[in-house]
Amino acid sequence: MTRDFALELVGVEKRFGGVHALRGANLEVRRGEIMGLCGENGAGKSTLLKILSGVHPFGSYGGDVIVDGEVRRMHAPADARRAGIAVIHQELTLIPELSVAQNLMLGREPGRLGIVDDAELEALARADLARFGFADELDVRTPVKKLGIGLQQIVEIVRALPQDAKVLVLDEPTAALTERETSMLTRWLEALRAGGTTCVYVSHKLDEIFALCDRVTVLRDGRTAAVLDIRETTPREVVTAMVGRDVASARRIASSISFASTTPVLEVRGLHLGTARSRVLRDISFSLAHGEITAICGAMGSGRTALLSTLFGCARVEVSGEIRIDGVRAVIASPADAIRHRIALVPEDRKGAGIVPDMTVGQNLALTSLASLDVMGWTTRFGLVDACAEEQLAERHIRSLRIHGDASAAVVTLSGGNQQKVVLGKWLERPPKILLLDEPTRGVDIGAREEIYGILEELAERGVAILVASSDLIEVLRLAQRILVLRDGRIAGDLDGATATEGAIVELSTGAAGHRAPMLQVGT
């Protein structure tokens, strides 16, 4: 133990049955330092954070957690908070039915004799939001379940940051944030560091690691693979430490797709979403050809997710305009209608809308193929499924998609990247004509990211039309042959993917000239 460190993890071991998640991992963070933590999905990052936060209690793991030179035994999250450790998890811990204010003030509600002073609670919540520059973004009375993922992430971050923590741990905090929100968070973390707060910053985005952190610890296969000083290393060296081999620069996928077609499989004409007084989408018109990868860009609230949801029949408000599939007008009023037209969706919220958490990997992979697994055609009447056929289907996709997990394993035990491959894999037994993807690699490590890109390339080669919404501009420029930029629910620009630049996309999405430094993300 050394007094120079605010936080130490020494020889941490953790098993889940036969899976060795951590193998003597070490972490040393100095006072007033922002330590980056990187590693592929499955490297042990999430397990390490759950030990730090008391989710995995003392006795279920080996090794020591040391805070300010004192060995701490965390039996529950409350013990971690008493030790001065605040953790912002990638998986949200908000209570959906409660309001923004109630979530922000949970556990520290103002009042007397057990009666909460609602007016003061809302005032304190507004003050917290204002302190971090988010007062105009959120109505404190809104139930959290009505917010998008990005705004929920803001609530999660603001709730943790005001705590008087010795060590602040952030797990992929900007995954759902806009550039403006990310910039605001960065400034606050720098201020916290200047005030002596110690931070552990987990991210797949190397531009953030190199811009914000002092050092970076790399985990690989449950072990500490490297501890590098940001001033003395390079992104490529970090990636090499993560995967255990040198990784060449990523090639541009769109330029390698040989399938050529100008025949539109999807045509959208004058699409409006919402009433005349409150339009979410306004006069959207575009076409998508067989084998084409088109990307949708835009700031949070620009309409990216709303467009994909509408095309998949999930719109909850008035829709007008025309959608044509293979030249024939299509009515898509529900996901069932979309599926009949062979449209598939990989949603932004994979845990909430992409997988069924209570099911196994195999059951999730078979969800869209139940008709082919009927026992005498009785599935819809009696719930009977040919278990042998289901297992064979699952094993086939587990092999082809290189999913690290057994068919019988609970899908929630898989890493984020492998869960995303399950979400994608359930559509591949009968490949769709049109594949819609919303933030397909958010929170996904370099290995799974490359595999997902490879799957999309193969599907495009087979003639599948792909429409992908992404806030990662490097990903967009790598994948897309064409880029549609949305702003305020309208198409602000239609760019050729071969000549588009980050600056051009940002200018169109914001309505103002400007250019931000390229985002260097893991895998690039």
Side-chain angles (χ1 to χ4, degrees):
M1 299 179 218
T2 172
R3 294 180 181 177
D4 291 336
F5 295 121
L7 174 68
E8 298 171 82
L9 283 84
V10 181
V12 178
E13 300 268 346
K14 176 65 178 175
R15 288 181 178 271
F16 296 95
V19 178
H20 208 161
L22 290 173
R23 307 166 182 262
N26 299 308
L27 178 67
E28 298 176 334
V29 191
R30 299 172 184 140
R31 288 186 179 81
E33 176 181 42
I34 300 180
M35 170 65 80
L37 184 62
C38 291
E40 295 188 89
N41 285 120
K45 304 188 303 297
S46 294
T47 303
L48 199 68
L49 298 192
K50 287 177 179 177
I51 288 172
L52 265 180
S53 62
V55 172
H56 294 323
F58 176 72
S60 70
Y61 64 89
D64 289 320
V65 177
I66 305 167
V67 182
D68 279 341
E70 180 183 353
V71 176
R72 305 301 295 248
R73 308 298 193 206
M74 263 77 84
H75 297 277
D79 293 326
R81 290 192 292 271
R82 280 192 287 270
I85 299 173
V87 180
I88 301 173
H89 293 282
Q90 182 181 359
E91 304 300 336
L92 300 176
T93 60
L94 304 174
I95 300 176
E97 289 73 21
L98 297 185
S99 69
V100 169
Q102 289 168 326
N103 271 279
L104 286 174
M105 305 306 296
L106 196 62
R108 50 195 183 105
E109 296 88 346
R112 295 182 61 189
L113 303 175
I115 300 175
V116 175
D117 185 331
D118 290 332
E120 186 178 356
L121 179 141
E122 291 177 3
L124 290 172
R126 290 191 188 96
D128 276 351
L129 290 172
R131 189 179 307 132
F132 294 97
F134 296 130
D136 295 334
E137 310 281 345
L138 291 157
D139 181 344
V140 296
R141 297 181 180 180
T142 302
V144 161
K145 65 183 179 182
K146 293 187 177 181
L147 302 177
I149 294 295
L151 292 178
Q152 288 185 25
Q153 186 70 62
I154 289 173
V155 176
E156 185 85 27
I157 291 170
V158 172
R159 182 170 70 169
L161 285 180
Q163 298 177 17
D164 186 19
K166 298 176 183 176
V167 179
L168 179 63
V169 183
L170 304 99
D171 187 7
E172 299 287 354
T174 66
L177 300 188
T178 64
E179 183 180 358
R180 171 180 169 272
E181 293 156 356
T182 297
S183 177
M184 294 168 69
L185 176 64
T186 297
R187 288 198 299 272
W188 272 101
L189 291 177
E190 289 172 341
L192 288 172
R193 172 172 54 191
T197 300
T198 299
C199 297
V200 178
Y201 192 91
V202 183
S203 180
H204 290 301
K205 299 177 181 178
L206 288 189
D207 66 319
E208 293 181 2
I209 294 291
F210 274 77
L212 186 60
C213 298
D214 303 292
R215 295 186 298 154
V216 58
T217 296
V218 180
L219 295 184
R220 186 174 73 246
D221 298 328
R223 298 183 175 91
T224 302
V227 181
L228 304 168
D229 191 310
I230 289 297
R231 296 167 297 182
E232 299 173 359
T233 190
T234 66
R236 188 160 182 167
E237 288 177 352
V238 174
V239 174
T240 298
M242 287 171 59
V243 301
R245 64 185 186 280
D246 191 23
V247 179
S249 297
R251 63 193 177 89
R252 177 170 159 75
I253 284 180
S255 63
S256 70
I257 296 173
S258 60
F259 187 97
S261 172
T262 57
T263 305
V265 61
L266 171 68
E267 296 172 88
V268 177
R269 301 177 180 177
L271 184 69
H272 294 271
L273 178 64
T275 64
R277 290 185 176 181
S278 180
R279 292 281 193 214
V280 179
L281 296 175
R282 305 166 185 269
D283 196 24
I284 300 293
S285 298
F286 68 96
S287 62
L288 185 65
H290 291 279
E292 179 183 2
I293 301 179
T294 289
I296 304 172
C297 290
M300 187 180 297
S302 63
R304 294 175 315 189
T305 296
L307 177 55
L308 295 192
S309 297
T310 301
L311 294 176
F312 196 64
C314 296
R316 298 181 180 179
V317 293
E318 180 182 334
V319 179
S320 60
E322 186 176 66
I323 297 173
R324 288 181 172 268
I325 309 294
D326 286 332
V328 179
R329 183 164 185 167
V331 176
I332 304 175
S334 69
D337 291 337
I339 292 169
R340 277 194 294 272
H341 287 289
R342 294 181 61 190
I343 301 174
L345 172 66
V346 175
E348 176 186 23
D349 182 5
R350 63 172 168 263
K351 282 192 178 295
I355 61 172
V356 181
D358 295 334
M359 288 186 174
T360 66
V361 172
Q363 289 168 332
N364 271 273
L365 285 168
L367 277 175
T368 61
S369 305
L370 292 177
S372 66
L373 303 176
D374 281 8
V375 176
M376 301 177 65
W378 292 349
T379 294
T380 56
R381 293 179 60 192
F382 301 108
L384 300 177
V385 172
D386 186 332
C388 182
E390 180 182 86
E391 183 178 356
Q392 290 174 353
L393 179 151
E395 291 296 342
R396 183 163 61 251
H397 290 309
I398 286 171
R399 286 194 302 271
S400 65
L401 298 173
R402 294 180 289 279
I403 296 171
H404 300 293
D406 296 329
S408 60
V411 71
V412 292
T413 65
L414 270 57
S415 67
N418 284 298
Q419 286 184 17
Q420 189 74 331
K421 285 190 279 186
V422 170
V423 176
L424 183 55
K426 73 182 182 185
W427 296 110
L428 300 185
E429 185 66 16
R430 182 174 178 243
K433 287 183 179 180
I434 302 164
L435 177 61
L436 313 174
L437 303 105
D438 197 356
E439 301 288 359
T441 62
R442 174 171 286 166
V444 171
D445 70 68
I446 179 175
R449 183 184 296 265
E450 292 300 318
E451 290 170 349
I452 289 170
Y453 289 162
I455 293 166
L456 297 184
E457 180 180 19
E458 291 173 9
L459 290 172
E461 286 282 2
R462 292 158 61 183
V464 176
I466 297 174
L467 188 62
V468 54
S470 177
S471 57
D472 182 345
L473 299 189
I474 291 294
E475 177 168 271
V476 166
L477 294 173
R478 183 178 177 193
L479 281 174
Q481 294 153 306
R482 181 183 178 195
I483 301 168
L484 301 177
V485 183
L486 297 187
R487 185 175 73 248
D488 298 329
R490 301 179 186 272
I491 294 180
D494 186 342
L495 305 176
D496 183 339
T499 58
T501 64
E502 286 186 271
I505 295 171
V506 171
E507 181 175 348
L508 286 168
S509 65
T510 60
H515 177 74
R516 70 179 178 86
M519 175 186 290
L520 178 58
Q521 186 138 352
V522 174
T524 61

